[in-house]
Amino acid sequence: MTDNPIPPLMAVVGRAARSLENDLLGQDHGRAAAARRDLAVLRRAAGASPEKDPLAWGLVLERVLPDLPETYLGRGDAPSRSEWAAFTALTLFAVHQQSQSKAMHENRMGIGYAVGRLAQRRDSESIKPRFDALLLTRTTGGLVHNLRSLVTLLRAEQIPADYGRLAQDLARTRDRGGWDRVALSWGREFARGLSLTRSESQSQPVA
């Protein structure tokens, strides 16, 4: 039996995030400086739509779109759902990676699971309402606003997330019934991250 193939959008956005962080944290000073500039451009665009920030959109075009199948690309004046999802995920990644000395993109670390870890590490009574607001939102603006708020908190605790998977989830919200399915998935991830982290903390020896 073979593993399920990684969806193209998830794979391509994950590679783009990995490439940026590798350049940023690597030993080549020129590549690190270029990555810092690119991440600054992407970070400033967090919360915007692709057509509102042509510089950030250009970076996403260069890093993501050449590797996406043609069926994922837009045809008219508006971005396709995959283009929008890639743009949104990478701009949020840029927020997450700001001023960090380690990689903030990590495969298989779903956003719900990451926030579950955050809730265990911090006061869950302050995190859970923010996460609930994310699950309940049904507007694009509310979705991105709540994600950015949580990503900022993840950055403060140096908890990574999978930005390829986030892009895939964001694209799924554009499907019929997609909001509910993504919210269900994130809720499960949150509970798993919270419970596993609790188990890990309880199993640590007392100094």
Side-chain angles (χ1 to χ4, degrees), residues 19-44 59 63 97:
S19 174
L20 280 165
E21 66 188 8
N22 284 346
D23 286 351
L24 178 70
L25 302 174
Q27 300 302 312
D28 188 313
H29 296 300
R31 293 173 75 92
R36 275 194 297 274
R37 289 193 297 269
D38 288 351
L39 286 165
V41 171
L42 291 169
R43 187 167 59 248
R44 286 193 294 269
L59 285 174
R63 289 188 171 271
Q97 192 63 56

Side-chain angles (χ1 to χ4, degrees), residues 23-25 27 30 50 52 56 60 75 80 86 89-90 95 108 119-120 133 135 140 143 188 192 194 206:
D23 286 351
L24 178 70
L25 302 174
Q27 300 302 312
K52 298 296 184 182
V60 176
R75 291 291 182 273
S80 70
L90 283 179
V95 172
R108 296 181 295 279
Q120 174 60 25
L135 297 187
T140 297
L143 175 66
R188 285 173 175 160
R192 189 167 64 252
L194 186 64
V206 177

Side-chain angles (χ1 to χ4, degrees), residues 41-65:
V41 171
L42 291 169
R43 187 167 59 248
R44 286 193 294 269
S49 55
E51 64 271 20
K52 298 296 184 182
D53 197 314
L55 292 181
W57 177 233
L59 285 174
V60 176
L61 287 171
E62 294 169 15
R63 289 188 171 271
V64 174
L65 268 60

